[in-house]
Amino acid sequence: MMPATKLPERFDDTWIDALPQAILLTRDGVVTRVNAAAVRLWGVPQERAEGRPVLEVVRRHTLETLLERGGEMELEVTGRTLRCTATHDDVVSALIVEDVTDYRRREAELREAAAVLSHEFRTPVTALRGVLEALEYDMPADLAQNFVRQGLMEVERLARLVEDLAVGFRPTRARTLPLAETFARAERLLGHELTAQGATLTFGQDYLVRADPDKLLQVLLNLIENALKYGPAGQPVEVTTAVRGTWVEVAVLDHGAPIGDTETLFQAHTRGRTATGQGSGMGLYIVRSIVQGWGGQTWVERQGDCNAFCFTLPGVAGLGREA
């Protein structure tokens, strides 16, 4: 028969110092143990914390009360979000504090991503609706075929947006293309809206640029749609282009009233003071996010009697048309 193993008088709890959460243990209302993470959080070493009342260590009545009652709560402390959990019985209590700042930040980013996706999906879905409504009517075969091709293009665009769910929202399919290619796509997609508002749309000189075609189209559609929505009805919308060193500057001009605080327009969930109707306030935020993704800049300025919403994108050496 093997001899019984003698247990140590005090259980070895050094493992508690390896935990990332701050742990505070109490007995009869006084602190018995704080782990290494708790020492970093409250700045009170074990030798000073042991035997002291809880409040002298945590210095927050909310945490003292949580220990007395048990349960869970979140605290905002110096820009950090702390999730605090307390368990207790008549004698022994434990307080566990976990820094969930990064987790909460990721949650906010996911909500932002969902809002961005919702906005980006709206344009191809609207275009598809228009195509299907048009195909309900009898029309020449060649015209119907054009509508079918346009619908297929938008389905492909939707498929690429679905792929973006996994790879993020930065441009990932950049290629060299003439601006005129994107101008033509934008004009085709906005044709019905232009006719309905009695507005005209003109484009500046063509240049070769380096960008993701779908992302560039999204930027243009957002800016042109804003110009049609907030500019005077029936007024022309002009898209100008210019070379700025190795960059190409594109500006969408409308004849709307001067805008006051232009910088805040590019923030998420922000709309101009004169904006009416429904809107997510995400359009210009998406524009800036996409443009910054390829290293460009966005801004708003007054040009004559027009508001100019400008952005830059990489030009291609030579700036000539593709062969």
Side-chain angles (χ1 to χ4, degrees):
M1 183 175 180
M2 296 182 64
T5 303
K6 184 178 180 180
L7 295 175
E9 294 182 0
R10 182 172 180 177
F11 179 70
D12 183 2
D13 63 354
T14 55
W15 57 271
I16 201 173
D17 288 321
L19 296 176
Q21 299 90 350
I23 309 292
L24 180 145
L25 304 178
T26 73
R27 178 180 290 273
D28 295 326
V30 298
V31 177
T32 59
R33 180 75 160 90
V34 289
N35 71 345
V39 172
R40 292 192 295 271
L41 177 63
W42 291 302
V44 182
Q46 169 65 23
E47 58 270 20
R48 287 179 52 199
E50 189 172 1
R52 289 180 177 271
V54 171
L55 186 60
E56 291 186 14
V57 177
V58 301
R59 297 186 294 277
R60 284 182 178 270
H61 285 289
T62 50
L63 292 180
E64 181 187 38
T65 302
L66 183 67
L67 258 174
E68 293 172 354
R69 297 177 179 176
E72 184 175 309
M73 66 179 298
E74 287 194 0
L75 283 177
E76 296 291 332
V77 180
T78 61
R80 310 296 293 178
T81 303
L82 305 179
R83 181 166 58 200
C84 310
T85 305
T87 61
H88 73 100
D89 56 27
D90 293 338
V91 178
V92 179
S93 300
L95 176 64
I96 304 170
V97 180
E98 181 179 8
D99 189 337
V100 294
T101 306
D102 292 338
Y103 177 76
R104 292 289 178 255
R105 183 181 297 117
R106 286 194 295 271
E107 279 189 332
E109 289 172 352
L110 285 173
R111 287 193 295 270
E112 204 72 72
V116 170
L117 267 181
S118 174
H119 195 285
E120 289 208 32
F121 269 91
R122 185 180 63 184
T123 298
V125 168
T126 300
L128 280 172
R129 182 186 294 116
V131 167
L132 293 174
E133 289 174 350
L135 290 173
E136 286 184 321
Y137 300 94
D138 291 331
M139 64 182 71
D142 57 342
L143 183 58
Q145 188 60 38
N146 285 336
F147 277 109
V148 170
R149 280 195 294 268
Q150 182 177 336
L152 289 173
M153 287 176 58
E154 296 306 323
V155 169
E156 291 173 0
R157 187 171 169 214
L158 280 171
R160 288 192 291 270
L161 285 172
V162 171
E163 292 173 3
D164 280 348
L165 284 167
V167 300
F169 305 103
R170 61 188 182 279
T172 55
R173 288 170 292 274
R175 67 176 176 85
T176 299
L177 73 154
L179 275 173
E181 176 184 309
T182 306
F183 291 164
R185 290 179 67 189
E187 188 172 26
R188 185 169 61 250
L189 290 171
L190 294 169
H192 178 74
E193 189 172 352
L194 289 166
T195 301
Q197 296 195 23
T200 59
L201 178 62
T202 59
F203 297 96
Q205 184 176 344
D206 187 20
Y207 294 106
L208 283 180
V209 296
R210 183 76 179 175
D212 181 316
D214 289 332
K215 299 297 184 183
L216 177 55
L217 177 64
Q218 187 69 31
V219 168
L220 272 175
L221 288 175
N222 270 307
L223 295 181
I224 296 172
E225 285 177 337
N226 274 357
L228 291 171
K229 185 182 300 182
Y230 301 121
Q235 289 292 318
V237 175
E238 184 180 2
V239 181
T240 64
T241 58
V243 178
R244 305 297 184 209
T246 60
W247 296 83
V248 174
E249 178 186 312
V250 180
V252 177
L253 281 65
D254 66 68
H255 291 269
I259 300 172
D261 185 4
T262 59
E263 181 59 28
T264 59
L265 290 177
F266 290 96
Q267 296 175 2
H269 305 298
T270 300
R271 305 180 70 204
R273 288 177 296 178
T274 59
T276 59
Q278 295 182 344
S280 65
M282 292 295 294
L284 293 180
Y285 171 78
I286 290 172
V287 166
R288 172 162 287 183
S289 298
I290 293 174
V291 172
Q292 287 179 341
W294 61 52
Q297 296 180 320
T298 56
W299 69 96
V300 182
E301 63 186 25
R302 192 72 177 171
Q303 294 185 10
D305 62 348
C306 294
N307 295 312
F309 288 76
C310 312
F311 67 93
T312 55
L313 67 164
V316 176
L319 298 173
R321 293 296 303 271
E322 286 184 319

